[in-house]
Amino acid sequence: DSGVTQTPKHLITATGQRVTLRCSPRSGDLSVYWYQQSLDQGLQFLIQYYNGEERAKGNILERFSAQQFPDLHSELNLSSLELGDSALYFCASSVVGSGGINEQFFGPGTRLTVL
Amino acid sequence: LAKTTQPISMDSYEGQEVNITCSHNNIATNDYITWYQQFPSQGPRFIIQGYKTKVTNEVASLFIPADRKSSTLSLPRVSLSDTAVYYCLVGSDRGSTLGRLYFGRGTQLTVWP
């Protein structure tokens, strides 16, 4: 158990819909990362937050957005869903946000299926 | 931007040493090299991280040459439970520079009895 929790574990929805994935980082971790893993694209970095502020942005679509709240939990919002958005979405957290070793602890993931 | 290249797959037998090499020609000065292990339907798990030369922990060693354009993860005496996908990650989370994190496509290691 990494200490990172993600809800829900599974999500099935239809094209065009909007969903919210939730992540609670390990206690004390200030950085939260979101990743998308699909069969054809591998593990793709989407976005990072550090203590409530966006820190780095990767291959995140404009239809996707995220935020980190004052209690440090994070939400990833996916809208206008397409079939190709079906994937495993992982959240990770780390204690270091600025310099030093950056070991990331991954949650169990949310499997999103868009029908 | 630092991208990584790894072999898609490797096979080994129990008890052998396995070396997985990752190329990262455009690695930046502040970038660290990190390796993760992933089992099916689980989140990746940190194995080892280094900046230069050699790093060793209880499960693996990481060799990084002076030019840092590649790195090699070494797993001593693998067992069946080491069958997994191994990712090479190059990135930085330093100072005022926005963190840049890139996973390779991963190497599927299969260990045979």
Side-chain angles (χ1 to χ4, degrees), chain A residues 22-52:
Chain A
R22 183 188 167 98
C23 168
S24 293
R26 292 188 323 153
S27 177
D29 286 359
L30 298 180
S31 272
V32 170
Y33 311 78
W34 286 98
Y35 294 87
Q36 178 193 58
Q37 186 169 38
S38 57
L39 284 175
D40 57 345
Q41 292 291 325
L43 196 60
Q44 299 281 319
F45 167 68
L46 295 178
I47 197 165
Q48 177 199 2
Y49 279 83
Y50 173 67
N51 203 20

mmCIF file of all heavy atoms in Angstrom, chain A residues 22-52:
data_model
loop_
_atom_site.group_PDB
_atom_site.id
_atom_site.type_symbol
_atom_site.label_atom_id
_atom_site.label_comp_id
_atom_site.label_asym_id
_atom_site.label_seq_id
_atom_site.Cartn_x
_atom_site.Cartn_y
_atom_site.Cartn_z
ATOM 1 N N ARG A 22 -10.643 11.412 -8.314
ATOM 2 C CA ARG A 22 -10.155 12.016 -7.083
ATOM 3 C C ARG A 22 -8.928 11.291 -6.566
ATOM 4 O O ARG A 22 -8.822 10.064 -6.694
ATOM 5 C CB ARG A 22 -11.254 11.986 -6.029
ATOM 6 C CG ARG A 22 -10.895 12.645 -4.721
ATOM 7 C CD ARG A 22 -11.971 12.405 -3.676
ATOM 8 N NE ARG A 22 -11.508 12.768 -2.352
ATOM 9 C CZ ARG A 22 -11.781 13.938 -1.758
ATOM 10 N NH1 ARG A 22 -12.548 14.820 -2.373
ATOM 11 N NH2 ARG A 22 -11.313 14.212 -0.557
ATOM 12 N N CYS A 23 -8.019 12.066 -5.988
ATOM 13 C CA CYS A 23 -6.784 11.504 -5.456
ATOM 14 C C CYS A 23 -6.465 12.142 -4.113
ATOM 15 O O CYS A 23 -6.503 13.371 -3.976
ATOM 16 C CB CYS A 23 -5.639 11.773 -6.430
ATOM 17 S SG CYS A 23 -3.986 11.453 -5.774
ATOM 18 N N SER A 24 -6.116 11.310 -3.144
ATOM 19 C CA SER A 24 -5.616 11.801 -1.861
ATOM 20 C C SER A 24 -4.166 11.374 -1.724
ATOM 21 O O SER A 24 -3.874 10.178 -1.724
ATOM 22 C CB SER A 24 -6.443 11.243 -0.699
ATOM 23 O OG SER A 24 -7.747 11.757 -0.729
ATOM 24 N N PRO A 25 -3.254 12.330 -1.625
ATOM 25 C CA PRO A 25 -1.838 11.976 -1.543
ATOM 26 C C PRO A 25 -1.480 11.393 -0.186
ATOM 27 O O PRO A 25 -2.290 11.404 0.744
ATOM 28 C CB PRO A 25 -1.141 13.324 -1.761
ATOM 29 C CG PRO A 25 -2.108 14.334 -1.226
ATOM 30 C CD PRO A 25 -3.471 13.778 -1.548
ATOM 31 N N ARG A 26 -0.251 10.874 -0.081
ATOM 32 C CA ARG A 26 0.253 10.423 1.194
ATOM 33 C C ARG A 26 0.308 11.603 2.158
ATOM 34 O O ARG A 26 0.517 12.744 1.736
ATOM 35 C CB ARG A 26 1.669 9.857 1.042
ATOM 36 C CG ARG A 26 1.809 8.590 0.272
ATOM 37 C CD ARG A 26 3.238 8.052 0.379
ATOM 38 N NE ARG A 26 4.234 9.099 0.374
ATOM 39 C CZ ARG A 26 5.432 9.016 0.936
ATOM 40 N NH1 ARG A 26 5.779 7.904 1.578
ATOM 41 N NH2 ARG A 26 6.294 10.014 0.873
ATOM 42 N N SER A 27 0.141 11.305 3.415
ATOM 43 C CA SER A 27 0.202 12.354 4.411
ATOM 44 C C SER A 27 1.562 13.060 4.348
ATOM 45 O O SER A 27 2.614 12.419 4.369
ATOM 46 C CB SER A 27 0.020 11.725 5.804
ATOM 47 O OG SER A 27 0.150 12.700 6.808
ATOM 48 N N GLY A 28 1.520 14.377 4.227
ATOM 49 C CA GLY A 28 2.751 15.158 4.193
ATOM 50 C C GLY A 28 3.280 15.447 2.811
ATOM 51 O O GLY A 28 4.154 16.306 2.644
ATOM 52 N N ASP A 29 2.789 14.727 1.781
ATOM 53 C CA ASP A 29 3.264 14.976 0.422
ATOM 54 C C ASP A 29 2.591 16.210 -0.152
ATOM 55 O O ASP A 29 1.372 16.331 -0.113
ATOM 56 C CB ASP A 29 2.992 13.768 -0.476
ATOM 57 C CG ASP A 29 3.932 12.617 -0.202
ATOM 58 O OD1 ASP A 29 4.816 12.770 0.676
ATOM 59 O OD2 ASP A 29 3.797 11.574 -0.866
ATOM 60 N N LEU A 30 3.380 17.094 -0.714
ATOM 61 C CA LEU A 30 2.839 18.333 -1.262
ATOM 62 C C LEU A 30 2.618 18.275 -2.770
ATOM 63 O O LEU A 30 1.857 19.057 -3.315
ATOM 64 C CB LEU A 30 3.799 19.495 -0.954
ATOM 65 C CG LEU A 30 4.040 19.798 0.523
ATOM 66 C CD1 LEU A 30 5.005 20.977 0.666
ATOM 67 C CD2 LEU A 30 2.730 20.101 1.246
ATOM 68 N N SER A 31 3.333 17.374 -3.430
ATOM 69 C CA SER A 31 3.220 17.269 -4.893
ATOM 70 C C SER A 31 2.275 16.146 -5.289
ATOM 71 O O SER A 31 2.331 15.053 -4.735
ATOM 72 C CB SER A 31 4.595 16.981 -5.504
ATOM 73 O OG SER A 31 5.292 18.156 -5.766
ATOM 74 N N VAL A 32 1.436 16.432 -6.258
ATOM 75 C CA VAL A 32 0.538 15.436 -6.821
ATOM 76 C C VAL A 32 0.734 15.412 -8.340
ATOM 77 O O VAL A 32 0.856 16.468 -8.966
ATOM 78 C CB VAL A 32 -0.932 15.747 -6.499
ATOM 79 C CG1 VAL A 32 -1.851 14.846 -7.300
ATOM 80 C CG2 VAL A 32 -1.206 15.562 -5.010
ATOM 81 N N TYR A 33 0.795 14.227 -8.896
ATOM 82 C CA TYR A 33 0.984 14.042 -10.323
ATOM 83 C C TYR A 33 -0.162 13.198 -10.877
ATOM 84 O O TYR A 33 -0.612 12.277 -10.220
ATOM 85 C CB TYR A 33 2.295 13.298 -10.611
ATOM 86 C CG TYR A 33 3.512 13.832 -9.899
ATOM 87 C CD1 TYR A 33 3.734 13.542 -8.558
ATOM 88 C CD2 TYR A 33 4.448 14.603 -10.565
ATOM 89 C CE1 TYR A 33 4.855 14.013 -7.894
ATOM 90 C CE2 TYR A 33 5.575 15.080 -9.909
ATOM 91 C CZ TYR A 33 5.767 14.782 -8.572
ATOM 92 O OH TYR A 33 6.870 15.255 -7.925
ATOM 93 N N TRP A 34 -0.556 13.484 -12.099
ATOM 94 C CA TRP A 34 -1.543 12.660 -12.780
ATOM 95 C C TRP A 34 -0.916 12.066 -14.040
ATOM 96 O O TRP A 34 -0.216 12.761 -14.782
ATOM 97 C CB TRP A 34 -2.766 13.484 -13.166
ATOM 98 C CG TRP A 34 -3.655 13.822 -12.015
ATOM 99 C CD1 TRP A 34 -3.692 14.989 -11.301
ATOM 100 C CD2 TRP A 34 -4.664 12.967 -11.450
ATOM 101 N NE1 TRP A 34 -4.644 14.901 -10.317
ATOM 102 C CE2 TRP A 34 -5.262 13.687 -10.393
ATOM 103 C CE3 TRP A 34 -5.125 11.682 -11.734
ATOM 104 C CZ2 TRP A 34 -6.295 13.152 -9.620
ATOM 105 C CZ3 TRP A 34 -6.146 11.153 -10.969
ATOM 106 C CH2 TRP A 34 -6.723 11.883 -9.919
ATOM 107 N N TYR A 35 -1.212 10.778 -14.255
ATOM 108 C CA TYR A 35 -0.722 10.063 -15.419
ATOM 109 C C TYR A 35 -1.878 9.318 -16.079
ATOM 110 O O TYR A 35 -2.820 8.888 -15.418
ATOM 111 C CB TYR A 35 0.338 9.028 -15.028
ATOM 112 C CG TYR A 35 1.614 9.603 -14.484
ATOM 113 C CD1 TYR A 35 1.750 9.899 -13.142
ATOM 114 C CD2 TYR A 35 2.701 9.829 -15.327
ATOM 115 C CE1 TYR A 35 2.929 10.417 -12.633
ATOM 116 C CE2 TYR A 35 3.887 10.335 -14.824
ATOM 117 C CZ TYR A 35 3.986 10.628 -13.474
ATOM 118 O OH TYR A 35 5.160 11.129 -12.989
ATOM 119 N N GLN A 36 -1.746 9.147 -17.371
ATOM 120 C CA GLN A 36 -2.700 8.350 -18.139
ATOM 121 C C GLN A 36 -1.947 7.169 -18.727
ATOM 122 O O GLN A 36 -0.871 7.343 -19.302
ATOM 123 C CB GLN A 36 -3.316 9.191 -19.255
ATOM 124 C CG GLN A 36 -4.292 8.433 -20.142
ATOM 125 C CD GLN A 36 -4.630 9.231 -21.405
ATOM 126 O OE1 GLN A 36 -3.753 9.586 -22.167
ATOM 127 N NE2 GLN A 36 -5.909 9.507 -21.600
ATOM 128 N N GLN A 37 -2.525 5.998 -18.593
ATOM 129 C CA GLN A 37 -1.889 4.821 -19.182
ATOM 130 C C GLN A 37 -2.883 4.096 -20.070
ATOM 131 O O GLN A 37 -3.874 3.542 -19.607
ATOM 132 C CB GLN A 37 -1.356 3.877 -18.111
ATOM 133 C CG GLN A 37 -0.567 2.716 -18.692
ATOM 134 C CD GLN A 37 0.178 1.928 -17.633
ATOM 135 O OE1 GLN A 37 -0.316 1.717 -16.534
ATOM 136 N NE2 GLN A 37 1.393 1.507 -17.945
ATOM 137 N N SER A 38 -2.598 4.100 -21.350
ATOM 138 C CA SER A 38 -3.411 3.341 -22.294
ATOM 139 C C SER A 38 -2.505 2.361 -23.014
ATOM 140 O O SER A 38 -1.284 2.478 -22.981
ATOM 141 C CB SER A 38 -4.094 4.275 -23.294
ATOM 142 O OG SER A 38 -3.135 5.056 -23.974
ATOM 143 N N LEU A 39 -3.139 1.391 -23.679
ATOM 144 C CA LEU A 39 -2.368 0.317 -24.298
ATOM 145 C C LEU A 39 -1.445 0.847 -25.389
ATOM 146 O O LEU A 39 -0.312 0.406 -25.516
ATOM 147 C CB LEU A 39 -3.305 -0.735 -24.875
ATOM 148 C CG LEU A 39 -3.950 -1.655 -23.842
ATOM 149 C CD1 LEU A 39 -4.958 -2.581 -24.512
ATOM 150 C CD2 LEU A 39 -2.875 -2.461 -23.122
ATOM 151 N N ASP A 40 -1.921 1.812 -26.164
ATOM 152 C CA ASP A 40 -1.121 2.258 -27.303
ATOM 153 C C ASP A 40 -0.177 3.401 -26.988
ATOM 154 O O ASP A 40 0.749 3.668 -27.752
ATOM 155 C CB ASP A 40 -2.043 2.647 -28.470
ATOM 156 C CG ASP A 40 -3.033 3.735 -28.057
ATOM 157 O OD1 ASP A 40 -3.184 3.962 -26.842
ATOM 158 O OD2 ASP A 40 -3.638 4.350 -28.951
ATOM 159 N N GLN A 41 -0.377 4.074 -25.855
ATOM 160 C CA GLN A 41 0.458 5.237 -25.539
ATOM 161 C C GLN A 41 1.382 5.020 -24.357
ATOM 162 O O GLN A 41 2.212 5.842 -24.068
ATOM 163 C CB GLN A 41 -0.429 6.460 -25.248
ATOM 164 C CG GLN A 41 -1.186 6.979 -26.454
ATOM 165 C CD GLN A 41 -0.256 7.610 -27.456
ATOM 166 O OE1 GLN A 41 0.731 8.241 -27.103
ATOM 167 N NE2 GLN A 41 -0.545 7.418 -28.736
ATOM 168 N N GLY A 42 1.242 3.963 -23.658
ATOM 169 C CA GLY A 42 2.088 3.776 -22.481
ATOM 170 C C GLY A 42 1.705 4.738 -21.377
ATOM 171 O O GLY A 42 0.591 5.238 -21.307
ATOM 172 N N LEU A 43 2.664 5.031 -20.508
ATOM 173 C CA LEU A 43 2.419 5.880 -19.342
ATOM 174 C C LEU A 43 2.745 7.330 -19.706
ATOM 175 O O LEU A 43 3.881 7.664 -19.972
ATOM 176 C CB LEU A 43 3.300 5.407 -18.187
ATOM 177 C CG LEU A 43 2.955 5.892 -16.788
ATOM 178 C CD1 LEU A 43 1.564 5.463 -16.395
ATOM 179 C CD2 LEU A 43 3.967 5.359 -15.795
ATOM 180 N N GLN A 44 1.723 8.162 -19.709
ATOM 181 C CA GLN A 44 1.881 9.555 -20.121
ATOM 182 C C GLN A 44 1.661 10.493 -18.939
ATOM 183 O O GLN A 44 0.632 10.433 -18.274
ATOM 184 C CB GLN A 44 0.865 9.891 -21.212
ATOM 185 C CG GLN A 44 0.996 9.079 -22.489
ATOM 186 C CD GLN A 44 2.116 9.580 -23.367
ATOM 187 O OE1 GLN A 44 2.306 10.776 -23.512
ATOM 188 N NE2 GLN A 44 2.868 8.665 -23.950
ATOM 189 N N PHE A 45 2.608 11.375 -18.724
ATOM 190 C CA PHE A 45 2.482 12.389 -17.680
ATOM 191 C C PHE A 45 1.486 13.451 -18.129
ATOM 192 O O PHE A 45 1.575 13.977 -19.241
ATOM 193 C CB PHE A 45 3.854 13.007 -17.412
ATOM 194 C CG PHE A 45 3.828 14.264 -16.589
ATOM 195 C CD1 PHE A 45 3.460 14.236 -15.255
ATOM 196 C CD2 PHE A 45 4.186 15.478 -17.158
ATOM 197 C CE1 PHE A 45 3.449 15.397 -14.500
ATOM 198 C CE2 PHE A 45 4.181 16.640 -16.411
ATOM 199 C CZ PHE A 45 3.808 16.608 -15.079
ATOM 200 N N LEU A 46 0.539 13.771 -17.284
ATOM 201 C CA LEU A 46 -0.460 14.775 -17.632
ATOM 202 C C LEU A 46 -0.154 16.122 -16.985
ATOM 203 O O LEU A 46 -0.015 17.137 -17.652
ATOM 204 C CB LEU A 46 -1.848 14.307 -17.204
ATOM 205 C CG LEU A 46 -2.394 13.068 -17.897
ATOM 206 C CD1 LEU A 46 -3.764 12.694 -17.340
ATOM 207 C CD2 LEU A 46 -2.461 13.251 -19.399
ATOM 208 N N ILE A 47 -0.074 16.134 -15.658
ATOM 209 C CA ILE A 47 0.062 17.405 -14.963
ATOM 210 C C ILE A 47 0.548 17.171 -13.537
ATOM 211 O O ILE A 47 0.350 16.092 -12.972
ATOM 212 C CB ILE A 47 -1.283 18.171 -14.981
ATOM 213 C CG1 ILE A 47 -1.095 19.646 -14.658
ATOM 214 C CG2 ILE A 47 -2.304 17.493 -14.070
ATOM 215 C CD1 ILE A 47 -2.305 20.499 -15.025
ATOM 216 N N GLN A 48 1.206 18.187 -12.996
ATOM 217 C CA GLN A 48 1.706 18.133 -11.625
ATOM 218 C C GLN A 48 1.258 19.370 -10.862
ATOM 219 O O GLN A 48 1.289 20.479 -11.403
ATOM 220 C CB GLN A 48 3.231 18.063 -11.600
ATOM 221 C CG GLN A 48 3.819 18.088 -10.190
ATOM 222 C CD GLN A 48 5.277 18.474 -10.160
ATOM 223 O OE1 GLN A 48 5.877 18.767 -11.186
ATOM 224 N NE2 GLN A 48 5.865 18.478 -8.977
ATOM 225 N N TYR A 49 0.887 19.166 -9.616
ATOM 226 C CA TYR A 49 0.578 20.271 -8.706
ATOM 227 C C TYR A 49 1.497 20.196 -7.499
ATOM 228 O O TYR A 49 1.862 19.114 -7.050
ATOM 229 C CB TYR A 49 -0.879 20.230 -8.256
ATOM 230 C CG TYR A 49 -1.804 20.811 -9.275
ATOM 231 C CD1 TYR A 49 -2.251 20.047 -10.343
ATOM 232 C CD2 TYR A 49 -2.211 22.131 -9.194
ATOM 233 C CE1 TYR A 49 -3.071 20.587 -11.310
ATOM 234 C CE2 TYR A 49 -3.046 22.687 -10.148
ATOM 235 C CZ TYR A 49 -3.472 21.901 -11.212
ATOM 236 O OH TYR A 49 -4.282 22.442 -12.154
ATOM 237 N N TYR A 50 1.868 21.340 -7.014
ATOM 238 C CA TYR A 50 2.674 21.419 -5.806
ATOM 239 C C TYR A 50 2.036 22.423 -4.873
ATOM 240 O O TYR A 50 1.950 23.614 -5.206
ATOM 241 C CB TYR A 50 4.115 21.818 -6.132
ATOM 242 C CG TYR A 50 4.966 22.077 -4.915
ATOM 243 C CD1 TYR A 50 5.303 21.037 -4.061
ATOM 244 C CD2 TYR A 50 5.415 23.360 -4.612
ATOM 245 C CE1 TYR A 50 6.075 21.273 -2.944
ATOM 246 C CE2 TYR A 50 6.175 23.598 -3.489
ATOM 247 C CZ TYR A 50 6.508 22.550 -2.657
ATOM 248 O OH TYR A 50 7.267 22.776 -1.543
ATOM 249 N N ASN A 51 1.576 21.950 -3.757
ATOM 250 C CA ASN A 51 0.992 22.797 -2.717
ATOM 251 C C ASN A 51 -0.079 23.737 -3.280
ATOM 252 O O ASN A 51 -0.116 24.922 -2.953
ATOM 253 C CB ASN A 51 2.091 23.608 -2.027
ATOM 254 C CG ASN A 51 1.681 24.064 -0.638
ATOM 255 O OD1 ASN A 51 0.764 23.513 -0.032
ATOM 256 N ND2 ASN A 51 2.347 25.088 -0.141
ATOM 257 N N GLY A 52 -0.906 23.198 -4.136
ATOM 258 C CA GLY A 52 -2.024 23.952 -4.669
ATOM 259 C C GLY A 52 -1.779 24.669 -5.979
ATOM 260 O O GLY A 52 -2.729 25.150 -6.612
#
